[in-house]
Amino acid sequence: MNVKHGMILVGLIAVVAMMMACGGRKHDAAYYEQMVDSIRKAEQVAELQRKASMVPDSDPVDAWFDTLSVRTLPIRNAGDDIARLSDFKDVPAALNDCFGFTEKARLKAVAMPAKHAFGVVMLAEIKDSLNTVLYLYTMKSDHMALDHLCIYETKDERRDDDHGKTMLEYYITSNYETTLMLYYQSHDTDRKPELLNSRQYIINDEGRFEETIINL
């Protein structure tokens, strides 16, 4: 129990004792003993909440971000199966604004190791049962987004002689060198995916995603 809570408990017990000692007794001793027990239990609950970082006057945004699991690096592309990546946690609608989304968006998040003292979050935007978009976010100290990079997405594409999907895939090294590869996959699955382009990004000293030259 901390000093503040201890002083409150002592004070309340003293008040109860004074009430018992004064002439205005309206209850028997058992009533006041029960009151003291209730005060002690309330103090114990408050202490447990404090230890669990759940004190009523704590910042709810800080508290939620502290509950996120941390996904270690490196990370390879896992498609829409985000459960293979880590234990993503639902983002409360009230916190969607931290990532620049409206409250209607369905988001999940997992924390990642910090870079240059900036927090990093992998965010999944669940568009529907078949479509998920993944982003990397760098975060300011107030848990608002600083910068973001889309790392996984699929889109329908029509060509003059074909139709299929484009697929943005990723690989992230232990130093946050993030390689993005954009493929085209024909509806004819006998055709191999066609690599359209490949790009690489780092997180610079300002916490922003910066494109770099890929070393072949």
Side-chain angles (χ1 to χ4, degrees):
M1 181 185 300
N2 60 29
V3 175
K4 180 179 178 182
H5 288 158
M7 292 177 64
I8 293 173
L9 177 58
V10 171
L12 289 172
I13 293 175
V15 170
V16 172
M18 289 175 63
M19 291 174 64
M20 292 178 65
C22 294
R25 289 181 190 158
K26 296 183 180 180
H27 302 281
D28 58 17
Y31 170 84
Y32 293 107
E33 289 175 0
Q34 184 178 4
M35 182 183 293
V36 171
D37 286 341
S38 296
I39 294 170
R40 286 198 181 100
K41 289 177 181 177
E43 284 293 310
Q44 291 169 358
V45 170
E47 179 67 7
L48 289 173
Q49 289 178 329
R50 184 189 67 79
K51 289 180 178 178
S53 300
M54 294 171 56
V55 290
D57 59 349
S58 66
D59 187 323
V61 178
D62 288 341
W64 182 80
F65 273 91
D66 286 343
T67 67
L68 293 181
S69 302
V70 178
R71 173 57 161 93
T72 57
L73 299 170
I75 301 176
R76 289 186 178 278
N77 183 75
D80 287 317
D81 189 5
I82 62 173
R84 284 174 50 198
L85 294 174
S86 187
D87 183 16
F88 280 73
K89 188 178 182 68
D90 290 333
V91 178
L95 299 187
N96 283 5
D97 185 55
C98 293
F99 303 100
F101 285 86
T102 67
E103 291 189 1
K104 293 182 178 180
R106 183 186 171 198
L107 307 176
K108 292 177 176 286
V110 65
M112 297 177 66
K115 182 67 174 178
H116 302 308
F118 295 99
V120 182
V121 171
M122 181 179 284
L123 186 77
E125 179 190 6
I126 314 298
K127 293 197 171 227
D128 54 48
S129 60
L130 298 176
N131 291 287
T132 298
V133 182
L134 284 180
Y135 304 88
L136 284 185
Y137 273 79
T138 53
M139 311 297 291
K140 301 176 185 177
S141 58
D142 62 356
H143 300 303
M144 296 300 291
L146 172 61
D147 199 8
H148 71 278
L149 179 69
C150 180
I151 62 172
Y152 175 79
E153 186 176 21
T154 62
K155 292 181 178 180
D156 293 329
E157 180 169 317
R158 284 196 167 273
R159 296 183 170 184
D160 292 339
D161 59 347
D162 193 25
H163 65 90
K165 289 182 178 290
T166 56
M167 303 171 293
L168 181 64
E169 300 185 353
Y170 60 90
Y171 174 69
I172 307 170
T173 71
S174 57
N175 197 36
Y176 276 114
E177 293 173 337
T178 302
T179 302
L180 301 181
M181 296 151 290
L182 182 65
Y183 293 93
Y184 171 76
Q185 175 61 64
S186 169
H187 74 285
D188 181 358
T189 55
D190 289 336
R191 298 187 189 179
K192 292 183 179 179
E194 174 189 347
L195 178 62
L196 301 179
N197 64 63
S198 181
R199 301 187 178 200
Q200 190 174 85
Y201 296 82
I202 61 167
I203 300 176
N204 65 23
D205 294 345
E206 297 177 348
R208 298 189 177 277
F209 293 99
E210 179 181 316
E211 188 173 354
T212 63
I213 298 174
I214 297 177
N215 296 316
L216 300 177

